[in-house]
Amino acid sequence: MRFELAADIPSETADERVRQAVERASTIFEAAFTPKDEGFLSFTRWRDADDPFVLPLLPPESETTRIEGEDFYEQGEPDTPHGTYTAALRPRSLDYRLIFALIASSELDRSPSIGGRAYLLNASTPLIFHMYDDRGAMLVGSNENALAELRTGFADWIIP
């Protein structure tokens, strides 16, 4: 499912756009992930300068791996260097509101921001949440009952 977060708010009102995107993303995320759910964060960043923002967001007790790459889009062009961090954790233990704010801010050229892709994986109820920017987020999973409840609860935000 794809959700509209703040596409209806003009980008000239960036503060309001980020606020609504964070609020909607957090509401969807909290409905899909309980505090006890186990899972992972997979975050790929394109800018080395984002490390000081990304690393403190990871719980110190989580086991984190880091992989550096040169060709993110796998098109034979090594001009898209990136780093991917993967951490096993309880997704709700993250400061997800801050993560969502940093993601929403990136496309609006606000600072601080992080440029990249973040996926929050729920291993307890197989779901993946991905906020791609201030405009929207995706939730995918194999549990049709869980998805049906969310589809009903957030029908007004779903992008057909």
Side-chain angles (χ1 to χ4, degrees):
M1 289 183 286
R2 285 185 53 213
F3 297 92
E4 179 182 303
L5 299 179
D8 58 331
I9 298 174
S11 56
E12 294 78 32
T13 56
D15 289 344
E16 178 62 20
R17 192 171 169 112
V18 168
R19 188 203 59 73
Q20 179 173 302
V22 170
E23 191 57 39
R24 285 188 178 185
S26 297
T27 300
I28 297 162
F29 176 75
E30 290 167 358
F33 291 67
T34 73
K36 292 185 179 185
D37 287 340
E38 296 291 335
F40 299 89
L41 165 69
S42 176
F43 182 79
T44 300
R45 59 96 182 115
W46 290 290
R47 304 178 302 217
D48 287 337
D50 288 344
D51 282 350
F53 298 112
V54 174
L55 297 178
L57 297 172
L58 302 173
E61 69 279 1
S62 69
E63 185 176 327
T64 302
T65 61
R66 175 182 172 168
I67 300 170
E68 292 292 327
E70 291 296 323
D71 185 9
F72 182 79
Y73 297 104
E74 298 179 356
Q75 297 175 342
E77 300 176 19
D79 62 348
T80 50
H82 60 280
T84 299
Y85 298 89
T86 304
L89 43 72
R90 289 194 166 138
R92 289 274 299 266
S93 70
L94 292 166
D95 187 350
Y96 53 89
R97 288 181 170 273
L98 178 56
I99 292 171
F100 298 157
L102 291 167
I103 292 169
S105 295
S106 181
E107 291 293 318
L108 297 170
D109 287 330
R110 292 171 43 117
S111 185
S113 69
I114 50 178
R117 293 190 177 165
Y119 296 90
L120 294 157
L121 293 81
N122 185 333
S124 301
T125 306
L127 294 169
I128 301 171
F129 182 83
H130 169 55
M131 178 182 175
Y132 46 88
D133 60 26
D134 59 298
R135 295 171 297 161
M138 295 172 51
L139 183 69
V140 296
S142 60
N143 184 329
E144 188 51 44
N145 291 336
L147 291 174
E149 288 179 31
L150 294 164
R151 192 175 291 114
T152 301
F154 299 107
D156 292 344
W157 299 347
I158 292 178
I159 299 170

PDB file of all heavy atoms in Angstrom, residues 59-96:
ATOM      1  N   PRO A  59      20.308   2.195  18.159  1.00  0.00           N
ATOM      2  CA  PRO A  59      20.499   1.857  19.574  1.00  0.00           C
ATOM      3  C   PRO A  59      21.880   1.240  19.788  1.00  0.00           C
ATOM      4  O   PRO A  59      22.308   0.383  19.006  1.00  0.00           O
ATOM      5  CB  PRO A  59      19.395   0.830  19.853  1.00  0.00           C
ATOM      6  CG  PRO A  59      18.364   1.063  18.803  1.00  0.00           C
ATOM      7  CD  PRO A  59      19.131   1.537  17.592  1.00  0.00           C
ATOM      8  N   PRO A  60      22.605   1.679  20.813  1.00  0.00           N
ATOM      9  CA  PRO A  60      23.974   1.185  21.013  1.00  0.00           C
ATOM     10  C   PRO A  60      24.040  -0.323  21.241  1.00  0.00           C
ATOM     11  O   PRO A  60      25.044  -0.948  20.929  1.00  0.00           O
ATOM     12  CB  PRO A  60      24.469   1.949  22.241  1.00  0.00           C
ATOM     13  CG  PRO A  60      23.298   2.646  22.810  1.00  0.00           C
ATOM     14  CD  PRO A  60      22.213   2.653  21.798  1.00  0.00           C
ATOM     15  N   GLU A  61      22.972  -0.932  21.760  1.00  0.00           N
ATOM     16  CA  GLU A  61      22.989  -2.364  22.029  1.00  0.00           C
ATOM     17  C   GLU A  61      22.664  -3.207  20.799  1.00  0.00           C
ATOM     18  O   GLU A  61      22.795  -4.417  20.818  1.00  0.00           O
ATOM     19  CB  GLU A  61      22.013  -2.723  23.159  1.00  0.00           C
ATOM     20  CG  GLU A  61      20.541  -2.559  22.807  1.00  0.00           C
ATOM     21  CD  GLU A  61      20.013  -1.129  22.903  1.00  0.00           C
ATOM     22  OE1 GLU A  61      20.782  -0.203  23.229  1.00  0.00           O
ATOM     23  OE2 GLU A  61      18.819  -0.947  22.635  1.00  0.00           O
ATOM     24  N   SER A  62      22.256  -2.564  19.699  1.00  0.00           N
ATOM     25  CA  SER A  62      21.906  -3.336  18.506  1.00  0.00           C
ATOM     26  C   SER A  62      23.161  -3.718  17.736  1.00  0.00           C
ATOM     27  O   SER A  62      24.128  -2.970  17.666  1.00  0.00           O
ATOM     28  CB  SER A  62      20.957  -2.547  17.600  1.00  0.00           C
ATOM     29  OG  SER A  62      21.612  -1.447  17.021  1.00  0.00           O
ATOM     30  N   GLU A  63      23.133  -4.906  17.171  1.00  0.00           N
ATOM     31  CA  GLU A  63      24.233  -5.349  16.322  1.00  0.00           C
ATOM     32  C   GLU A  63      24.025  -4.735  14.948  1.00  0.00           C
ATOM     33  O   GLU A  63      23.009  -4.965  14.295  1.00  0.00           O
ATOM     34  CB  GLU A  63      24.242  -6.871  16.226  1.00  0.00           C
ATOM     35  CG  GLU A  63      25.424  -7.400  15.459  1.00  0.00           C
ATOM     36  CD  GLU A  63      25.476  -8.910  15.455  1.00  0.00           C
ATOM     37  OE1 GLU A  63      25.068  -9.518  16.451  1.00  0.00           O
ATOM     38  OE2 GLU A  63      25.916  -9.461  14.438  1.00  0.00           O
ATOM     39  N   THR A  64      24.989  -3.926  14.534  1.00  0.00           N
ATOM     40  CA  THR A  64      24.854  -3.185  13.280  1.00  0.00           C
ATOM     41  C   THR A  64      25.947  -3.588  12.308  1.00  0.00           C
ATOM     42  O   THR A  64      27.105  -3.699  12.694  1.00  0.00           O
ATOM     43  CB  THR A  64      24.935  -1.664  13.552  1.00  0.00           C
ATOM     44  OG1 THR A  64      23.917  -1.311  14.479  1.00  0.00           O
ATOM     45  CG2 THR A  64      24.758  -0.867  12.283  1.00  0.00           C
ATOM     46  N   THR A  65      25.555  -3.807  11.071  1.00  0.00           N
ATOM     47  CA  THR A  65      26.536  -4.051  10.025  1.00  0.00           C
ATOM     48  C   THR A  65      26.540  -2.864   9.065  1.00  0.00           C
ATOM     49  O   THR A  65      25.531  -2.174   8.917  1.00  0.00           O
ATOM     50  CB  THR A  65      26.226  -5.341   9.229  1.00  0.00           C
ATOM     51  OG1 THR A  65      24.954  -5.211   8.612  1.00  0.00           O
ATOM     52  CG2 THR A  65      26.249  -6.559  10.120  1.00  0.00           C
ATOM     53  N   ARG A  66      27.683  -2.659   8.435  1.00  0.00           N
ATOM     54  CA  ARG A  66      27.824  -1.557   7.475  1.00  0.00           C
ATOM     55  C   ARG A  66      28.495  -2.107   6.223  1.00  0.00           C
ATOM     56  O   ARG A  66      29.516  -2.794   6.303  1.00  0.00           O
ATOM     57  CB  ARG A  66      28.679  -0.450   8.078  1.00  0.00           C
ATOM     58  CG  ARG A  66      28.961   0.671   7.115  1.00  0.00           C
ATOM     59  CD  ARG A  66      29.838   1.707   7.756  1.00  0.00           C
ATOM     60  NE  ARG A  66      30.270   2.677   6.777  1.00  0.00           N
ATOM     61  CZ  ARG A  66      30.854   3.805   7.072  1.00  0.00           C
ATOM     62  NH1 ARG A  66      31.088   4.121   8.323  1.00  0.00           N
ATOM     63  NH2 ARG A  66      31.224   4.631   6.128  1.00  0.00           N
ATOM     64  N   ILE A  67      27.909  -1.787   5.092  1.00  0.00           N
ATOM     65  CA  ILE A  67      28.459  -2.204   3.803  1.00  0.00           C
ATOM     66  C   ILE A  67      28.570  -0.970   2.923  1.00  0.00           C
ATOM     67  O   ILE A  67      27.606  -0.215   2.782  1.00  0.00           O
ATOM     68  CB  ILE A  67      27.551  -3.254   3.120  1.00  0.00           C
ATOM     69  CG1 ILE A  67      27.419  -4.492   3.999  1.00  0.00           C
ATOM     70  CG2 ILE A  67      28.084  -3.612   1.743  1.00  0.00           C
ATOM     71  CD1 ILE A  67      26.360  -5.462   3.526  1.00  0.00           C
ATOM     72  N   GLU A  68      29.746  -0.768   2.344  1.00  0.00           N
ATOM     73  CA  GLU A  68      29.954   0.342   1.426  1.00  0.00           C
ATOM     74  C   GLU A  68      29.806  -0.168  -0.011  1.00  0.00           C
ATOM     75  O   GLU A  68      30.196  -1.289  -0.317  1.00  0.00           O
ATOM     76  CB  GLU A  68      31.342   0.950   1.599  1.00  0.00           C
ATOM     77  CG  GLU A  68      31.536   1.653   2.923  1.00  0.00           C
ATOM     78  CD  GLU A  68      30.711   2.912   3.074  1.00  0.00           C
ATOM     79  OE1 GLU A  68      30.476   3.621   2.071  1.00  0.00           O
ATOM     80  OE2 GLU A  68      30.293   3.198   4.206  1.00  0.00           O
ATOM     81  N   GLY A  69      29.243   0.655  -0.862  1.00  0.00           N
ATOM     82  CA  GLY A  69      29.070   0.281  -2.257  1.00  0.00           C
ATOM     83  C   GLY A  69      29.373   1.442  -3.178  1.00  0.00           C
ATOM     84  O   GLY A  69      29.451   2.595  -2.750  1.00  0.00           O
ATOM     85  N   GLU A  70      29.536   1.154  -4.456  1.00  0.00           N
ATOM     86  CA  GLU A  70      29.882   2.179  -5.442  1.00  0.00           C
ATOM     87  C   GLU A  70      28.814   2.419  -6.494  1.00  0.00           C
ATOM     88  O   GLU A  70      28.782   3.442  -7.128  1.00  0.00           O
ATOM     89  CB  GLU A  70      31.194   1.808  -6.153  1.00  0.00           C
ATOM     90  CG  GLU A  70      32.411   1.893  -5.270  1.00  0.00           C
ATOM     91  CD  GLU A  70      32.700   3.307  -4.800  1.00  0.00           C
ATOM     92  OE1 GLU A  70      32.499   4.267  -5.570  1.00  0.00           O
ATOM     93  OE2 GLU A  70      33.136   3.453  -3.640  1.00  0.00           O
ATOM     94  N   ASP A  71      27.946   1.446  -6.735  1.00  0.00           N
ATOM     95  CA  ASP A  71      27.001   1.533  -7.845  1.00  0.00           C
ATOM     96  C   ASP A  71      25.605   1.160  -7.344  1.00  0.00           C
ATOM     97  O   ASP A  71      25.113   0.070  -7.589  1.00  0.00           O
ATOM     98  CB  ASP A  71      27.455   0.602  -8.973  1.00  0.00           C
ATOM     99  CG  ASP A  71      26.597   0.718 -10.225  1.00  0.00           C
ATOM    100  OD1 ASP A  71      25.757   1.636 -10.304  1.00  0.00           O
ATOM    101  OD2 ASP A  71      26.758  -0.131 -11.119  1.00  0.00           O
ATOM    102  N   PHE A  72      24.955   2.081  -6.678  1.00  0.00           N
ATOM    103  CA  PHE A  72      23.678   1.790  -6.027  1.00  0.00           C
ATOM    104  C   PHE A  72      22.630   1.268  -6.991  1.00  0.00           C
ATOM    105  O   PHE A  72      21.895   0.343  -6.688  1.00  0.00           O
ATOM    106  CB  PHE A  72      23.144   3.035  -5.302  1.00  0.00           C
ATOM    107  CG  PHE A  72      21.863   2.778  -4.572  1.00  0.00           C
ATOM    108  CD1 PHE A  72      21.872   2.137  -3.343  1.00  0.00           C
ATOM    109  CD2 PHE A  72      20.653   3.144  -5.119  1.00  0.00           C
ATOM    110  CE1 PHE A  72      20.700   1.865  -2.674  1.00  0.00           C
ATOM    111  CE2 PHE A  72      19.462   2.885  -4.449  1.00  0.00           C
ATOM    112  CZ  PHE A  72      19.492   2.245  -3.226  1.00  0.00           C
ATOM    113  N   TYR A  73      22.548   1.858  -8.155  1.00  0.00           N
ATOM    114  CA  TYR A  73      21.514   1.488  -9.114  1.00  0.00           C
ATOM    115  C   TYR A  73      21.917   0.315 -10.010  1.00  0.00           C
ATOM    116  O   TYR A  73      21.158  -0.106 -10.875  1.00  0.00           O
ATOM    117  CB  TYR A  73      21.112   2.691  -9.964  1.00  0.00           C
ATOM    118  CG  TYR A  73      20.506   3.786  -9.116  1.00  0.00           C
ATOM    119  CD1 TYR A  73      21.224   4.932  -8.792  1.00  0.00           C
ATOM    120  CD2 TYR A  73      19.221   3.651  -8.603  1.00  0.00           C
ATOM    121  CE1 TYR A  73      20.668   5.915  -7.997  1.00  0.00           C
ATOM    122  CE2 TYR A  73      18.659   4.633  -7.808  1.00  0.00           C
ATOM    123  CZ  TYR A  73      19.388   5.763  -7.516  1.00  0.00           C
ATOM    124  OH  TYR A  73      18.839   6.729  -6.721  1.00  0.00           O
ATOM    125  N   GLU A  74      23.134  -0.217  -9.800  1.00  0.00           N
ATOM    126  CA  GLU A  74      23.643  -1.376 -10.539  1.00  0.00           C
ATOM    127  C   GLU A  74      23.518  -1.202 -12.049  1.00  0.00           C
ATOM    128  O   GLU A  74      23.041  -2.073 -12.767  1.00  0.00           O
ATOM    129  CB  GLU A  74      22.946  -2.653 -10.071  1.00  0.00           C
ATOM    130  CG  GLU A  74      23.219  -2.945  -8.615  1.00  0.00           C
ATOM    131  CD  GLU A  74      22.533  -4.198  -8.111  1.00  0.00           C
ATOM    132  OE1 GLU A  74      21.759  -4.825  -8.863  1.00  0.00           O
ATOM    133  OE2 GLU A  74      22.798  -4.553  -6.953  1.00  0.00           O
ATOM    134  N   GLN A  75      23.955  -0.033 -12.508  1.00  0.00           N
ATOM    135  CA  GLN A  75      23.909   0.264 -13.939  1.00  0.00           C
ATOM    136  C   GLN A  75      25.302   0.341 -14.547  1.00  0.00           C
ATOM    137  O   GLN A  75      25.480   0.889 -15.623  1.00  0.00           O
ATOM    138  CB  GLN A  75      23.160   1.580 -14.175  1.00  0.00           C
ATOM    139  CG  GLN A  75      21.723   1.516 -13.746  1.00  0.00           C
ATOM    140  CD  GLN A  75      21.016   2.854 -13.875  1.00  0.00           C
ATOM    141  OE1 GLN A  75      21.645   3.901 -13.963  1.00  0.00           O
ATOM    142  NE2 GLN A  75      19.701   2.816 -13.871  1.00  0.00           N
ATOM    143  N   GLY A  76      26.286  -0.175 -13.823  1.00  0.00           N
ATOM    144  CA  GLY A  76      27.643  -0.149 -14.330  1.00  0.00           C
ATOM    145  C   GLY A  76      28.295   1.211 -14.237  1.00  0.00           C
ATOM    146  O   GLY A  76      29.284   1.471 -14.908  1.00  0.00           O
ATOM    147  N   GLU A  77      27.745   2.088 -13.442  1.00  0.00           N
ATOM    148  CA  GLU A  77      28.287   3.435 -13.274  1.00  0.00           C
ATOM    149  C   GLU A  77      28.653   3.628 -11.808  1.00  0.00           C
ATOM    150  O   GLU A  77      27.793   3.877 -10.976  1.00  0.00           O
ATOM    151  CB  GLU A  77      27.258   4.477 -13.702  1.00  0.00           C
ATOM    152  CG  GLU A  77      26.843   4.337 -15.153  1.00  0.00           C
ATOM    153  CD  GLU A  77      25.747   5.316 -15.522  1.00  0.00           C
ATOM    154  OE1 GLU A  77      25.552   6.312 -14.807  1.00  0.00           O
ATOM    155  OE2 GLU A  77      25.086   5.060 -16.534  1.00  0.00           O
ATOM    156  N   PRO A  78      29.937   3.522 -11.494  1.00  0.00           N
ATOM    157  CA  PRO A  78      30.343   3.617 -10.090  1.00  0.00           C
ATOM    158  C   PRO A  78      30.350   5.051  -9.555  1.00  0.00           C
ATOM    159  O   PRO A  78      31.239   5.445  -8.834  1.00  0.00           O
ATOM    160  CB  PRO A  78      31.745   3.009 -10.108  1.00  0.00           C
ATOM    161  CG  PRO A  78      32.253   3.290 -11.476  1.00  0.00           C
ATOM    162  CD  PRO A  78      31.045   3.236 -12.381  1.00  0.00           C
ATOM    163  N   ASP A  79      29.331   5.829  -9.925  1.00  0.00           N
ATOM    164  CA  ASP A  79      29.281   7.217  -9.459  1.00  0.00           C
ATOM    165  C   ASP A  79      28.172   7.431  -8.430  1.00  0.00           C
ATOM    166  O   ASP A  79      27.797   8.548  -8.147  1.00  0.00           O
ATOM    167  CB  ASP A  79      29.103   8.177 -10.639  1.00  0.00           C
ATOM    168  CG  ASP A  79      27.799   7.942 -11.388  1.00  0.00           C
ATOM    169  OD1 ASP A  79      27.147   6.913 -11.145  1.00  0.00           O
ATOM    170  OD2 ASP A  79      27.450   8.794 -12.217  1.00  0.00           O
ATOM    171  N   THR A  80      27.662   6.345  -7.896  1.00  0.00           N
ATOM    172  CA  THR A  80      26.637   6.474  -6.856  1.00  0.00           C
ATOM    173  C   THR A  80      27.099   5.744  -5.593  1.00  0.00           C
ATOM    174  O   THR A  80      26.536   4.716  -5.216  1.00  0.00           O
ATOM    175  CB  THR A  80      25.282   5.915  -7.333  1.00  0.00           C
ATOM    176  OG1 THR A  80      25.483   4.606  -7.871  1.00  0.00           O
ATOM    177  CG2 THR A  80      24.649   6.804  -8.380  1.00  0.00           C
ATOM    178  N   PRO A  81      28.162   6.262  -4.949  1.00  0.00           N
ATOM    179  CA  PRO A  81      28.644   5.611  -3.736  1.00  0.00           C
ATOM    180  C   PRO A  81      27.569   5.685  -2.646  1.00  0.00           C
ATOM    181  O   PRO A  81      26.780   6.623  -2.586  1.00  0.00           O
ATOM    182  CB  PRO A  81      29.886   6.411  -3.359  1.00  0.00           C
ATOM    183  CG  PRO A  81      29.715   7.726  -4.024  1.00  0.00           C
ATOM    184  CD  PRO A  81      28.896   7.477  -5.253  1.00  0.00           C
ATOM    185  N   HIS A  82      27.563   4.681  -1.800  1.00  0.00           N
ATOM    186  CA  HIS A  82      26.573   4.619  -0.742  1.00  0.00           C
ATOM    187  C   HIS A  82      27.074   3.723   0.380  1.00  0.00           C
ATOM    188  O   HIS A  82      28.004   2.949   0.199  1.00  0.00           O
ATOM    189  CB  HIS A  82      25.244   4.076  -1.285  1.00  0.00           C
ATOM    190  CG  HIS A  82      25.362   2.702  -1.850  1.00  0.00           C
ATOM    191  ND1 HIS A  82      25.858   2.469  -3.117  1.00  0.00           N
ATOM    192  CD2 HIS A  82      25.082   1.484  -1.330  1.00  0.00           C
ATOM    193  CE1 HIS A  82      25.859   1.166  -3.349  1.00  0.00           C
ATOM    194  NE2 HIS A  82      25.393   0.541  -2.278  1.00  0.00           N
ATOM    195  N   GLY A  83      26.451   3.868   1.522  1.00  0.00           N
ATOM    196  CA  GLY A  83      26.716   2.995   2.656  1.00  0.00           C
ATOM    197  C   GLY A  83      25.395   2.485   3.180  1.00  0.00           C
ATOM    198  O   GLY A  83      24.432   3.246   3.292  1.00  0.00           O
ATOM    199  N   THR A  84      25.332   1.203   3.478  1.00  0.00           N
ATOM    200  CA  THR A  84      24.108   0.610   4.006  1.00  0.00           C
ATOM    201  C   THR A  84      24.374   0.093   5.411  1.00  0.00           C
ATOM    202  O   THR A  84      25.331  -0.653   5.630  1.00  0.00           O
ATOM    203  CB  THR A  84      23.606  -0.539   3.110  1.00  0.00           C
ATOM    204  OG1 THR A  84      23.323  -0.015   1.808  1.00  0.00           O
ATOM    205  CG2 THR A  84      22.358  -1.185   3.680  1.00  0.00           C
ATOM    206  N   TYR A  85      23.523   0.506   6.334  1.00  0.00           N
ATOM    207  CA  TYR A  85      23.565   0.058   7.716  1.00  0.00           C
ATOM    208  C   TYR A  85      22.358  -0.830   7.961  1.00  0.00           C
ATOM    209  O   TYR A  85      21.238  -0.477   7.589  1.00  0.00           O
ATOM    210  CB  TYR A  85      23.498   1.247   8.677  1.00  0.00           C
ATOM    211  CG  TYR A  85      24.651   2.192   8.540  1.00  0.00           C
ATOM    212  CD1 TYR A  85      24.605   3.252   7.643  1.00  0.00           C
ATOM    213  CD2 TYR A  85      25.790   2.022   9.308  1.00  0.00           C
ATOM    214  CE1 TYR A  85      25.675   4.119   7.505  1.00  0.00           C
ATOM    215  CE2 TYR A  85      26.861   2.879   9.184  1.00  0.00           C
ATOM    216  CZ  TYR A  85      26.801   3.932   8.279  1.00  0.00           C
ATOM    217  OH  TYR A  85      27.852   4.786   8.147  1.00  0.00           O
ATOM    218  N   THR A  86      22.586  -1.958   8.588  1.00  0.00           N
ATOM    219  CA  THR A  86      21.494  -2.843   8.962  1.00  0.00           C
ATOM    220  C   THR A  86      21.644  -3.156  10.442  1.00  0.00           C
ATOM    221  O   THR A  86      22.737  -3.529  10.893  1.00  0.00           O
ATOM    222  CB  THR A  86      21.520  -4.151   8.142  1.00  0.00           C
ATOM    223  OG1 THR A  86      21.491  -3.813   6.754  1.00  0.00           O
ATOM    224  CG2 THR A  86      20.326  -5.031   8.473  1.00  0.00           C
ATOM    225  N   ALA A  87      20.555  -2.980  11.183  1.00  0.00           N
ATOM    226  CA  ALA A  87      20.587  -3.203  12.623  1.00  0.00           C
ATOM    227  C   ALA A  87      19.396  -4.048  13.046  1.00  0.00           C
ATOM    228  O   ALA A  87      18.261  -3.753  12.676  1.00  0.00           O
ATOM    229  CB  ALA A  87      20.570  -1.870  13.367  1.00  0.00           C
ATOM    230  N   ALA A  88      19.667  -5.112  13.802  1.00  0.00           N
ATOM    231  CA  ALA A  88      18.612  -5.913  14.402  1.00  0.00           C
ATOM    232  C   ALA A  88      18.164  -5.188  15.674  1.00  0.00           C
ATOM    233  O   ALA A  88      18.996  -4.819  16.512  1.00  0.00           O
ATOM    234  CB  ALA A  88      19.127  -7.312  14.730  1.00  0.00           C
ATOM    235  N   LEU A  89      16.855  -4.971  15.799  1.00  0.00           N
ATOM    236  CA  LEU A  89      16.350  -4.194  16.927  1.00  0.00           C
ATOM    237  C   LEU A  89      14.835  -4.306  17.003  1.00  0.00           C
ATOM    238  O   LEU A  89      14.207  -4.929  16.165  1.00  0.00           O
ATOM    239  CB  LEU A  89      16.744  -2.715  16.774  1.00  0.00           C
ATOM    240  CG  LEU A  89      16.607  -2.054  15.395  1.00  0.00           C
ATOM    241  CD1 LEU A  89      15.182  -1.810  15.001  1.00  0.00           C
ATOM    242  CD2 LEU A  89      17.389  -0.771  15.370  1.00  0.00           C
ATOM    243  N   ARG A  90      14.279  -3.685  17.996  1.00  0.00           N
ATOM    244  CA  ARG A  90      12.838  -3.485  18.051  1.00  0.00           C
ATOM    245  C   ARG A  90      12.590  -2.150  17.363  1.00  0.00           C
ATOM    246  O   ARG A  90      13.015  -1.099  17.858  1.00  0.00           O
ATOM    247  CB  ARG A  90      12.351  -3.454  19.491  1.00  0.00           C
ATOM    248  CG  ARG A  90      12.410  -4.808  20.129  1.00  0.00           C
ATOM    249  CD  ARG A  90      11.637  -4.852  21.416  1.00  0.00           C
ATOM    250  NE  ARG A  90      11.469  -6.256  21.775  1.00  0.00           N
ATOM    251  CZ  ARG A  90      11.608  -6.720  22.982  1.00  0.00           C
ATOM    252  NH1 ARG A  90      11.877  -5.907  23.977  1.00  0.00           N
ATOM    253  NH2 ARG A  90      11.446  -7.996  23.215  1.00  0.00           N
ATOM    254  N   PRO A  91      11.931  -2.165  16.206  1.00  0.00           N
ATOM    255  CA  PRO A  91      11.791  -0.929  15.433  1.00  0.00           C
ATOM    256  C   PRO A  91      11.202   0.249  16.213  1.00  0.00           C
ATOM    257  O   PRO A  91      11.604   1.389  15.992  1.00  0.00           O
ATOM    258  CB  PRO A  91      10.890  -1.339  14.265  1.00  0.00           C
ATOM    259  CG  PRO A  91      11.216  -2.777  14.065  1.00  0.00           C
ATOM    260  CD  PRO A  91      11.406  -3.317  15.460  1.00  0.00           C
ATOM    261  N   ARG A  92      10.295  -0.030  17.135  1.00  0.00           N
ATOM    262  CA  ARG A  92       9.716   1.075  17.895  1.00  0.00           C
ATOM    263  C   ARG A  92      10.695   1.648  18.924  1.00  0.00           C
ATOM    264  O   ARG A  92      10.423   2.687  19.523  1.00  0.00           O
ATOM    265  CB  ARG A  92       8.426   0.619  18.597  1.00  0.00           C
ATOM    266  CG  ARG A  92       7.240   0.366  17.669  1.00  0.00           C
ATOM    267  CD  ARG A  92       6.426   1.589  17.344  1.00  0.00           C
ATOM    268  NE  ARG A  92       5.801   2.243  18.445  1.00  0.00           N
ATOM    269  CZ  ARG A  92       4.562   2.039  18.876  1.00  0.00           C
ATOM    270  NH1 ARG A  92       3.791   1.156  18.267  1.00  0.00           N
ATOM    271  NH2 ARG A  92       4.087   2.716  19.891  1.00  0.00           N
ATOM    272  N   SER A  93      11.863   0.994  19.127  1.00  0.00           N
ATOM    273  CA  SER A  93      12.871   1.539  20.039  1.00  0.00           C
ATOM    274  C   SER A  93      13.639   2.686  19.392  1.00  0.00           C
ATOM    275  O   SER A  93      14.343   3.424  20.084  1.00  0.00           O
ATOM    276  CB  SER A  93      13.843   0.443  20.482  1.00  0.00           C
ATOM    277  OG  SER A  93      14.684   0.045  19.402  1.00  0.00           O
ATOM    278  N   LEU A  94      13.517   2.827  18.090  1.00  0.00           N
ATOM    279  CA  LEU A  94      14.184   3.915  17.374  1.00  0.00           C
ATOM    280  C   LEU A  94      13.477   5.246  17.613  1.00  0.00           C
ATOM    281  O   LEU A  94      12.276   5.271  17.902  1.00  0.00           O
ATOM    282  CB  LEU A  94      14.157   3.646  15.868  1.00  0.00           C
ATOM    283  CG  LEU A  94      14.982   2.493  15.351  1.00  0.00           C
ATOM    284  CD1 LEU A  94      14.575   2.164  13.927  1.00  0.00           C
ATOM    285  CD2 LEU A  94      16.452   2.847  15.411  1.00  0.00           C
ATOM    286  N   ASP A  95      14.189   6.324  17.423  1.00  0.00           N
ATOM    287  CA  ASP A  95      13.552   7.643  17.390  1.00  0.00           C
ATOM    288  C   ASP A  95      13.024   7.819  15.969  1.00  0.00           C
ATOM    289  O   ASP A  95      13.569   8.561  15.161  1.00  0.00           O
ATOM    290  CB  ASP A  95      14.547   8.735  17.760  1.00  0.00           C
ATOM    291  CG  ASP A  95      13.899  10.104  17.908  1.00  0.00           C
ATOM    292  OD1 ASP A  95      12.699  10.250  17.542  1.00  0.00           O
ATOM    293  OD2 ASP A  95      14.586  11.027  18.372  1.00  0.00           O
ATOM    294  N   TYR A  96      11.963   7.073  15.658  1.00  0.00           N
ATOM    295  CA  TYR A  96      11.442   7.043  14.287  1.00  0.00           C
ATOM    296  C   TYR A  96      10.877   8.384  13.861  1.00  0.00           C
ATOM    297  O   TYR A  96      10.930   8.734  12.693  1.00  0.00           O
ATOM    298  CB  TYR A  96      10.423   5.913  14.109  1.00  0.00           C
ATOM    299  CG  TYR A  96       9.305   5.894  15.109  1.00  0.00           C
ATOM    300  CD1 TYR A  96       8.137   6.591  14.881  1.00  0.00           C
ATOM    301  CD2 TYR A  96       9.429   5.159  16.284  1.00  0.00           C
ATOM    302  CE1 TYR A  96       7.111   6.567  15.816  1.00  0.00           C
ATOM    303  CE2 TYR A  96       8.410   5.127  17.209  1.00  0.00           C
ATOM    304  CZ  TYR A  96       7.249   5.836  16.978  1.00  0.00           C
ATOM    305  OH  TYR A  96       6.245   5.819  17.898  1.00  0.00           O
TER     306      TYR A  96
END
